[in-house]
Amino acid sequence: METPGRIANTQDALDFTVENVEKALHQLYYDPNIDNKNLAQKWLMQAQVSPQAWQFCWALLSPDKVPEIQYFGASALHTKISRYWSDIPSDQYESLKSQLFSQIACFSSGAKMVLTRLCVALASLALNTMPEAWPGAVAEMVRVFQEEGGGIDGRARCLALLELLTVLPEEFQTSRLPQYRKGQVRGALGREWGSVCPLLQQLLRRTDSPGAVKARVLRCLSSWVLLDVPLSESEGLVHDCFVALSDPELFDTAVEALVNAISQPDSQRYVNTLLKLVPPVLALQDQLREAVQSGDMETCHGICRVAVTLGENHSRILLEQVDHWQSFLALVNMIMFCTGIPGHYPVNETTSSLTLTFWYTLQDEIMSFETNKQAVYLQVYRPVYFQLVDVLLHKAQFPSDQEYASWTSDEKEQFRIYRVDISDTLMYVYEMLGAELLSNLYDKLGRLLTNTEQPTSWQHTEALLYGFQSIAETIDVNYSDVIPGLIGLIPRISINNVQLADTVMFTIGALAEWLADHPVMLSSVLPLVLQALGNPDLSISSVSTLKKICRECKSDLPPYATNIVAVSQEVLIKQIHKTSQCMWLMQALGFLLSALPVEDILRNLHSLITPYIQQLEKLAEETPNPSNKLAIIHILGLLSNLFTTLDISKQDEESEDGSAAPVKTAPPPPGPNPVVVVLQQVFALIQTVLGKWLNDSQVVEAVCAIFEKSVKTLLHNFAPMVSQLSQMLGQMYSTIPQASALDLTRQLVHIFASQTEHFPPIKALFELVTSVTLSIFQQGPRDHPDIVDSFMQLQAQVCFWFLISLTLGLLSLKFPEAPTVKSTCLFFTELLPRCLDVPPVARLLQEDGKLLIQALLEGVGGGASRNLMDHFAEVLFSLNKHCFSLLAMWLKVALQPPGFPSSRVTSQQKDHFSQQILRERVNKRRVKEIVKEFTLLCRGLHGTEYAAEY
């Protein structure tokens, strides 16, 4: 057979005949070759939008064709009507409508997928003709399908009509109608609801209506309520949906219909109707309890969705109806039952998670009332929220060890996320309940841990601690009078379970700021943390908790420093923790050492890192291989993370009275910084490592990270290293250019380039990397987008001190990599404001500015991704603001050649674009809109569906 691919390469390419379309469809569905399938699909897409589609689509709907071919014919019809409506003469509207009615009638007993597509086509025609050319469209649809005849049974006609009525609002939601038409059509559809509603109600209430018809009625209602049809007019239908909930076959569609109807924003206008919905929702409680007892999760889920939708969307309105406060409180209690539904999420139930947002919403509404009104509501609802806390903590409890062991990893992860959601809810509830909530939790925990008569499960203890942790992590509990008691209770907890131990650790970590204000309590909890460090199962919780304590309490930790360092060294040597936790541990030690005297810092540093330095020396002598590469990167990472937080010069950010002025602390000790001392000692070793691994970007990145993090932490105290580091960076970059070296150069420039004594080595380094990068540009910069990206960020950083040729930036604007182009645009927006006060910049701009405009216009014309247009617009805006006269001249010259920047734009459109740009010197957002509009014209996309999405 002749493939569509071959057809497309001949003069007969546009011969979209019925025969060729059928051949292509056969190839698409049955040819095993994927390339042939793709060719067929491409050809069929062209056929579908071709003028010939009007001829072949009707033929493809012939009863003797298979459903796949009929479906393509119906889809082609829909495409022509929805996308190319303007091609259809108005005198053919009636004929097209009659043909579609006739086809839908024929397929009412045929393939469902073809019927649906034909209904969508007729719906699209209706949307394009109503209300002017086809007034009363929906009423006519109903009348046509209610008429007897054609040999089609009533049930099939009814289902076809319902399908048509269902897809009509759905097609409206996705239609490409202009905005002004959308408003007109929405209004017309709203007026047609009067024809639809009685029909749906009649079909739903008839005892002889088949289940399939009732299900389609409910789907149709779901579709129409999305048009914001008045809830008061749908009231009877909505109450019929509640009746349908008792039918298992209709349950799911009835739930969807109710949820859609109740959640429509416009429904808030109908207060009386909303009040009438509360009793039928409450009447579902018996059905809900029966479903819980029988383990029917789907029914529980559906009823809960209905109750939560009513409460969540209309809580303020229902709260304000004070005469009905008891019925709303009953609804709240029903939702509380759903929150506390028996069983463990997500194995035994999946309903409780639906309710959490409701409790946020209800609290927000109560707290938004003015003070006196709020007090009245709090009197009623504070007890409800205390009950909610109990319910949530019960739901957060782990199952028995045996049951939990049987869960899949996916179920365990869902449960973890569920507990996080509960934690967020508890934190939010604290805003309403305040300190009394902490007291409540403390009393429960105290009774639990001191009750010797009744044995307690670890799950109960863990859940209460989890409640404390949830609140303390985000709320300032420093003034709570129960925290000392809690710290005192923690050592009494019998920890014989990983989950409980984890929560104990995280709770201590959440109280780190409180411990900083009450350092006497450190001795109670620090031994627990250090003991947990040796347990690999508690890796994340113990290390993160130690890090928090070392960060918040470092000034009070010197008495414990020796012990902390010793334990940390031991677990590091035993390799108990994974790489990321080892890095956190080194950060913790950095915080800890920062508070010690310099001699103690150096002594601890020596004992801490000597084993690693010795290991690194050994690795540096070995022949490079994947195994020792990972070991080298690990050791370099440990050093970087240690130096990230080891800072002896930091002052407190706030004074004791909370003002922003720094507290006067003792000046930093004289002599070199301990980090600098260590870096100088290992500098030669690092150079040796680089000598063997210079062509490995990951090792080079790890080396640069040590110095980059040290520079960021030490700032000007890094000064003694500037000269030798600049020299090493220059040698590295000259041998094998890497982006990480440029990023480190940028940090050095940022901090030291303005200092006279450091300017010479920084200047030499900058000139060297510029020269090397320029040679890369000449050889083929597209192979090194990461280097170009980092280099342009460096230029943006240093344009105050160094001026380079704009040629680099002009080349970079044409790169395919978006991050590189963005960095280049950032460079130009930083450079252009200097053209007025830095003469060399002005001279360079006058020389190369026309080339810059040409590069920008080339990108706007289609040479660059449309996602970059905002960045191009930023540069144009900056040029217009700072170089207006030059921009006017450059635009005129650049846009003069025919076909530039695109053959799709006329000279008038180019002139209009130029005038619009030059007019906007204040409104950057408007410049972005102008550029987007022009790029769509240049690409031939203006007025298309793509433009609508842009």
Side-chain angles (χ1 to χ4, degrees), residues 37 40 63 68 99 138 199 210 287 343 399 406 440 480 488 493 578 581 588 742 785 811 830 899 947:
K37 283 180 179 289
E68 290 84 358
Q99 283 178 288
V138 176
L199 171 69
Q287 188 179 353
S406 70
N440 187 289
S480 170
I493 297 173
K578 292 181 180 177
Q581 277 73 58
L742 288 173
L811 279 170
E830 287 284 339

Side-chain angles (χ1 to χ4, degrees), residues 202-214 217:
Q202 178 189 356
L203 290 171
L204 202 55
R205 290 179 178 178
R206 280 178 59 170
T207 54
D208 60 343
S209 288
V213 169
K214 289 186 176 182
V217 167

Side-chain angles (χ1 to χ4, degrees), residues 254-266:
V255 167
E256 287 301 322
L258 283 168
V259 167
N260 288 338
I262 295 169
S263 59
Q264 283 310 297
D266 191 59

Side-chain angles (χ1 to χ4, degrees), residues 127 130-132 136-138 172 177 179-194 224 227-230 233:
L127 295 175
M130 64 193 317
E132 296 89 354
V138 176
F172 172 76
L177 295 171
Q179 203 59 41
Y180 79 95
R181 279 282 298 149
K182 276 214 165 190
Q184 290 177 346
V185 174
R186 180 185 283 274
L189 284 171
R191 291 189 291 275
E192 299 275 16
W193 177 236
W224 276 84
L227 293 174
D228 282 339
V229 295
E233 293 179 17

Side-chain angles (χ1 to χ4, degrees), residues 814-829:
K814 300 178 183 181
F815 269 40
E817 291 81 14
T820 302
V821 179
K822 290 177 184 178
S823 298
T824 306
C825 290
L826 171 64
F827 163 62
F828 283 120
T829 53

Side-chain angles (χ1 to χ4, degrees), residues 244-273:
L245 288 173
S246 60
D247 185 337
E249 290 184 11
L250 301 178
F251 183 83
D252 290 339
T253 42
V255 167
E256 287 301 322
L258 283 168
V259 167
N260 288 338
I262 295 169
S263 59
Q264 283 310 297
D266 191 59
S267 60
Q268 296 193 3
R269 294 166 47 197
Y270 307 100
V271 178
N272 289 332
T273 303

Side-chain angles (χ1 to χ4, degrees), residues 210-353:
V213 169
K214 289 186 176 182
R216 199 70 62 83
V217 167
L218 293 169
R219 266 193 58 218
C220 189
L221 173 60
S222 276
S223 181
W224 276 84
V225 294
L226 295 176
L227 293 174
D228 282 339
V229 295
L231 185 63
S232 57
E233 293 179 17
S234 316
E235 189 179 314
L237 258 177
V238 171
H239 281 277
D240 291 339
C241 291
F242 282 105
V243 176
L245 288 173
S246 60
D247 185 337
E249 290 184 11
L250 301 178
F251 183 83
D252 290 339
T253 42
V255 167
E256 287 301 322
L258 283 168
V259 167
N260 288 338
I262 295 169
S263 59
Q264 283 310 297
D266 191 59
S267 60
Q268 296 193 3
R269 294 166 47 197
Y270 307 100
V271 178
N272 289 332
T273 303
L274 288 172
L275 286 171
K276 291 177 187 175
L277 294 181
V278 178
V281 171
L282 294 176
L284 297 173
Q285 290 180 93
D286 289 341
Q287 188 179 353
L288 175 62
R289 289 191 180 89
E290 287 173 15
V292 170
Q293 288 171 1
S294 62
D296 183 353
M297 289 171 63
E298 286 74 18
T299 300
C300 294
H301 203 81
I303 292 175
C304 176
R305 279 186 67 199
V306 174
V308 168
T309 301
L310 181 58
E312 197 173 303
N313 286 278
H314 306 294
S315 54
R316 187 172 191 89
I317 287 172
L318 295 173
L319 277 169
E320 287 176 333
Q321 311 312 306
V322 291
D323 292 340
H324 301 268
W325 70 271
Q326 287 174 310
S327 64
F328 181 60
L329 183 59
L331 178 65
V332 171
N333 285 325
M334 180 179 176
I335 296 173
M336 180 76 78
F337 176 81
C338 294
T339 304
I341 207 157
H344 288 288
Y345 182 95
V347 177
N348 312 117
E349 63 91 7
T350 55
T351 299
S352 57
S353 61

